[in-house]
Amino acid sequence: MNMTDTTRNTDAYQLLRTQQDEATNTSWFFMHKHQPQHELGYRACFSVQLLKELHLYLRQSVERSTLIGGDVDGKLAHLVLGSDADVFNLGGDLELFGRLIRERNRDHLLAYARLCVEGVHGVYAAAATNKIHSIALVQGDALGGGLELALACQTIVAESGVGMGFPEVLFDLFPGMGAYSFLRQRISAKLAEEMILSGNIYSSDELHQMGVVDVLVPKGEGVQAVHELIRRNQRIPHARVAMNRVRQTCNPVTLDELMRVTEIWVDTAIQLGDKSLRTMERLVRVQQRRPQAAAERAEPARPALQAV
């Protein structure tokens, strides 16, 4: 990725690659640092390690940095989320889910779910409570919790042909870390529910037509599109900050709301039977293989959902 000469590397993590572009007051972080999806059996999902690093990053780079309050030298601050793997993020740690469910270990499953929710809401709150514009840079598949993280951002920039969706219903579960709450900010409640219960993987092109993806660009042009978006926002910093506040005022997503939803998710998960758990375990093996574009796996004849 080409950054400006004033980029300062703030890398201090095992699974996050971070950079600070002081020229534009932009903080970048890329998940799955040095962990290509197809090497060493690495699964580009929300491991406990990745979640802890995300929490640490948000505390250090948002709460304690020049991003607080933004408006440094008249510049709007930006937070950009990306990935170094072939995918953006494949969602929750299904291997951990399966083990905890088989053990009927509700307490540990709930602790994991809360860690996920706090991370996702931390990204959302960084923009909602500070003068920051958050951008998800989606250059590879974003599934389940990975898509929930992207939805927590104010703007989703996606490259064409990327697979995005919620496959949890395949093992009789639902995405419980903010999918419904964040989708309702972009599409109708009816369409959000249909997306969640269908289990379909949509292409980024389809979701752009539906209004879920904000900016769609050809493959390989995502970083350039983010830089252009940042430049446009810098021309209207006060209007952008005001719109952030309007969005939060009219349609807020609270941490309490997400926590109550994830309690329902845990209670549902702990009831799953052997058939669902075997499906979950098969998906773990899929996660360990280098993925093809999810859009290519989707049925060509399946019509795209229409926004209502």
Side-chain angles (χ1 to χ4, degrees), residues 46-92:
F46 281 119
S47 64
V48 172
Q49 177 68 28
L50 180 59
L51 287 167
K52 288 181 176 179
E53 291 189 13
L54 173 60
H55 281 260
L56 178 62
Y57 174 78
L58 289 173
R59 287 197 302 271
Q60 292 183 339
S61 297
V62 176
E63 295 176 6
R64 299 175 185 174
S65 76
T66 56
L67 287 180
I68 277 294
D71 205 20
V72 176
D73 296 328
K75 294 184 177 68
L76 174 68
H78 289 82
L79 179 65
V80 184
L81 292 67
S83 171
D84 277 345
D86 300 331
V87 298
F88 180 75
N89 193 296
L90 298 177

Side-chain angles (χ1 to χ4, degrees), residues 35 58 68 84 86 107 124 132 149 152 174 176 182 193-196 199 234 239 242 258 267 278 288-289 305:
Q35 300 287 349
L58 289 173
I68 277 294
D84 277 345
D86 300 331
D107 289 345
Y124 170 79
I132 300 171
L149 179 64
F174 72 98
F182 292 124
E193 186 172 326
E194 186 175 345
M195 275 189 66
I196 289 169
Q234 296 297 9
L258 296 186
D267 289 337
R278 288 199 306 270
Q288 291 173 332
R289 297 196 298 266
L305 294 173

Side-chain angles (χ1 to χ4, degrees), residues 201-211 216 298 302-305:
I201 304 301
Y202 302 90
S203 71
S204 50
D205 307 66
E206 290 176 296
L207 293 190
H208 181 250
Q209 292 177 353
M210 291 164 55
L216 180 72
R302 175 181 53 76
L305 294 173

